[in-house]
């Protein structure tokens, strides 16, 4: 009976083929899962970038609205109001024609205040008034920001961290393919070296089990 | 006299060694492919992350620059308006000195604007005040308001660093892909060798497969170092 015809050799040959098939299947499944995780990581990082852009644009637009639009009108009201106060005080210290001229100037400035005040959200709200006659723009900015809590709550760090975690998991998962690939090498050697086939089969099965177990552990990792 | 069994044994031994070598190369290709794929994936992901971080930092720099410019412009413009009023008052006072008839009244008219100019300068100085820590304003907006040139330069340097990281890992990823491509070629050559058998062509194909596998290993090593 030839070597190739021994029943044990046939069984071992089938075992090697089965081992190689299992290793190839395991490698394919793990690599596919790693590819999906890598894609998730990229998607999460892009989401973090989108959130960063949205957050920056929202904050800058609010700052521009308060410090450019509202604050300019508020300062115009403050300018007229301060002049009105100074002209009124000076009118009180004068008599005759001088007092009339100063009172007239004070009245003119008061008309300016009255005209601008309805359009000046900061100047018309006593919450933002300061003793100097100025305004608390930071408080106004905080109130305007608070009107859109969803924009204030924007935070790119959670998706960034999700991406980092998925990327780490993907690399670790793909690394578990190395012992599985080692099984392919051992299986190939088992096919080539008939005398050591049994021992190599055991070694290959062990290597495959290690790879599969590590892959499951990585997959279950949070 | 030729021993048929010896000749048959020698013929079995040569194909067996060729077959062992072919299977060994195929197995080695599989192991190297797993290692290189891991290295390439890691490098590729690090490159993607660094590029995304660089983009995020550029957004931060842009937002900080724009916000600080808006916040700095307001007090400057307000100071200009306050000073303009003071200049107008001073001009009126000077004109009053030169006009005997209208001078006294204009001098009286100029004084309130001079006082108003001083008060408006103080108000203008308050407009650019930074938010207090722990105040009602959220941390991100507060950071934009208080961004200084040094802070923005630091962010810009961080961005450049991320781009450098991305370039480095991009090169590693490319070397990893090169290694994987060479391994694919080696696998094909080994398969070709097994089909052609232990002749001159098969042996040459297997030898080239071994060399290409070594080159792939070198490419993989350069992707790690």
């Amino acid at each position: 009976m030839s070597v190739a015809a021994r029943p044990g050799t046939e069984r071992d040959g089938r075992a090697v083929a089965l081992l190689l098939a299992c290793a190839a299947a395991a490698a394919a499944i793990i690599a596919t899962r790693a590819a999906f995780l890598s894609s998730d990581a990229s998607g999460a990082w892009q989401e973090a970038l989108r959130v960063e852009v949205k957050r920056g644009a929202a904050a800058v637009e609010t700052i521009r609205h308060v410090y450019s639009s509202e604050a300019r009108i508020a300062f115009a009201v403050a300018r007229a109001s301060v002049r009105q106060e100074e002209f009124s005080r000076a009118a009180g210290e004068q008599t005759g024609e001088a007092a009339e001229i100063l009172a007239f100037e004070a009245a003119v400035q008061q008309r300016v205040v009255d005209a601008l005040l309805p359009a000046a959200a900061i100047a018309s709200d006593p919450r933002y008034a300061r003793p100097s006659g100025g305004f608390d723009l930071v408080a106004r900015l905080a109130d305007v920001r608070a009107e859109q809590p969803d924009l204030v709550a924007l935070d790119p760090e959670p998706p960034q961290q999700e991406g980092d975690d998925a990327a780490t998991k993907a690399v670790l998962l793909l690394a578990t393919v190395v012992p599985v690939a080692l099984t392919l090498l051992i299986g190939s050697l088992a096919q080539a070296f008939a005398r050591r086939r049994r021992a190599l089969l055991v070694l290959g099965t062990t290597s495959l089990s290690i790879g599969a177990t590590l892959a499951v552990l990585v997959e279950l990792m949070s | 006299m030729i021993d048929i069994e010896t000749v048959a044994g020698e013929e079995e031994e040569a194909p067996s060694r060729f077959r062992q070598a072919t299977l060994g190369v195929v197995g080695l290709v599989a192991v190297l492919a797993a290692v290189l794929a891991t290295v390439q994936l890691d490098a590729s992901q690090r490159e993607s992350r660094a590029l995304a971080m660089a983009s995020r930092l550029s957004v931060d720099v842009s937002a900080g620059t724009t916000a600080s410019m808006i916040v700095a412009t307001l007090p400057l413009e307000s100071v200009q308006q306050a000073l303009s009023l003071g200049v107008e008052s001073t001009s009126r006072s000077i004109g009053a000195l030169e006009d005997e008839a209208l001078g006294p009244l204009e001098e009286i008219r100029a004084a309130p604007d001079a006082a108003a100019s001083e008060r408006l300068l103080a108000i203008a100085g308050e407009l650019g005040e930074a938010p207090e820590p722990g105040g009602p304003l959220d941390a991100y907006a507060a950071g934009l308001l208080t961004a200084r040139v040094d802070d923005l330069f630091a962010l810009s340097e961080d961005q450049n660093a991320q781009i450098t990281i991305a370039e480095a890992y991009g090169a590693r990823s490319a070397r990893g892909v090169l290694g994987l491509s060479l391994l694919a070629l080696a696998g094909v050559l080994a398969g070709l060798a097994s089909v052609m058998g232990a002749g001159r062509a098969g042996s040459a194909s297997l030898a080239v497969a071994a060399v290409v596998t070594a080159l792939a290993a070198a490419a993989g090593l350069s992707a790690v170092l």
Side-chain angles (χ1 to χ4, degrees):
Chain A
M1 182 183 292
S2 66
V3 173
R6 287 188 202 146
T9 307
E10 278 185 22
R11 251 199 324 274
D12 289 347
R14 282 198 291 272
V16 169
L18 184 63
L19 181 68
L20 289 173
C22 289
I29 291 169
I30 294 171
T32 303
R33 176 63 182 147
F36 277 122
L37 280 172
S38 179
S39 175
D40 289 346
S42 294
W45 289 329
Q46 290 302 313
E47 176 63 20
L49 177 58
R50 277 193 291 272
V51 171
E52 186 79 66
V53 170
K54 196 174 178 183
R55 179 177 72 164
V60 168
E61 174 53 29
T62 308
I63 290 171
R64 186 207 62 78
H65 175 72
V66 171
Y67 278 78
S68 287
S69 302
E70 291 188 342
R72 281 203 175 99
I73 299 176
F75 189 77
V77 171
R79 188 174 185 267
S81 177
V82 166
R83 292 183 77 193
Q84 187 274 333
E85 288 173 6
E86 293 300 325
F87 277 119
S88 291
R89 185 183 311 139
E93 294 169 356
Q94 298 292 329
T95 57
E97 188 182 0
E100 287 176 10
I101 291 172
L102 291 172
F104 180 81
E105 286 294 339
V108 167
Q109 296 306 316
Q110 185 58 50
R111 285 195 186 90
V112 173
V113 171
D114 294 341
L116 293 178
L117 206 56
I122 296 177
S124 59
D125 194 330
R127 289 180 298 165
Y128 308 123
R130 284 193 163 184
S132 62
F135 311 100
D136 189 349
L137 295 181
V138 174
R140 174 59 182 167
L141 182 62
D143 288 347
V144 173
R145 290 275 288 170
E147 289 172 6
Q148 293 176 309
D150 52 339
L151 291 179
V152 175
L154 286 173
D155 187 359
E157 292 310 318
Q160 180 71 32
Q161 188 59 48
E162 278 178 29
D164 291 348
D165 292 343
T168 301
K169 201 170 176 178
V171 170
L172 288 177
L173 196 59
L174 197 58
T176 66
V177 172
V178 174
V180 174
L182 205 58
T183 306
L184 293 173
L185 172 61
I186 295 170
S188 299
L189 294 175
Q191 193 69 13
F193 297 94
R195 285 202 181 92
R196 292 176 175 78
R197 192 167 288 171
R198 288 274 171 95
L200 288 169
L201 271 173
V202 170
L203 193 60
T205 306
T206 305
S207 177
L208 178 60
S209 303
I210 291 172
T213 303
L214 287 174
V216 168
L217 286 175
V218 170
E219 182 62 36
L220 293 174
M221 187 175 71
S222 62
Chain B
M1 188 173 179
I2 298 171
D3 185 342
I4 291 178
E5 285 182 354
T6 304
V7 170
E10 285 174 354
E11 284 179 351
E12 282 179 7
E13 187 179 347
S16 177
R17 274 208 298 274
F18 178 81
R19 191 160 168 268
Q20 288 168 358
T22 305
L23 289 169
V25 169
V26 169
L28 191 60
V29 165
V31 172
L32 273 176
V35 172
L36 274 178
T38 306
V39 168
Q40 192 276 330
L41 178 68
D42 181 59
S44 172
Q45 287 189 152
R46 286 177 190 267
E47 181 193 10
S48 297
R49 187 186 189 277
L51 286 173
M53 282 303 298
S55 298
R56 280 187 56 190
L57 286 167
S58 74
V59 170
D60 281 346
V61 171
S62 176
T65 303
T66 305
S68 62
M69 193 170 63
I70 293 171
V71 172
T73 300
L74 175 66
L76 287 175
E77 288 182 353
S78 304
V79 162
Q80 286 172 352
Q81 290 181 35
L83 287 175
S84 173
L85 186 62
V87 168
E88 188 181 319
S89 168
T90 303
S91 299
R92 191 182 295 279
S93 295
I94 293 171
L97 290 173
E98 297 167 353
D99 191 322
E100 286 186 12
L102 296 174
L105 274 176
E106 291 301 323
E107 182 60 36
I108 292 171
R109 251 189 96 208
D113 274 343
S117 174
E118 291 298 320
R119 288 178 61 186
L120 287 172
L121 280 173
I123 291 173
E126 291 176 353
L127 293 178
E129 281 183 354
E132 291 177 0
L137 190 60
D138 61 283
Y140 180 70
L144 289 180
L145 287 185
T146 55
R148 298 290 175 258
V149 173
D150 290 344
D151 301 328
L152 297 174
F153 273 141
L155 280 178
S156 183
E157 285 181 3
D158 288 345
Q159 184 202 3
N160 289 334
Q162 290 296 323
I163 291 173
T164 304
I165 290 172
E167 288 174 350
Y169 279 106
R172 290 189 180 196
S173 176
R175 289 195 290 269
V177 170
L178 171 65
L180 286 168
S181 302
L182 289 173
L183 282 177
L185 178 63
V188 168
L189 290 170
L192 200 61
S194 70
V195 167
M196 288 189 286
R200 190 178 297 177
S203 298
S205 183
L206 184 63
V208 173
V211 169
V212 173
T213 302
L215 288 174
L221 198 62
S222 73
V224 172
L225 297 175

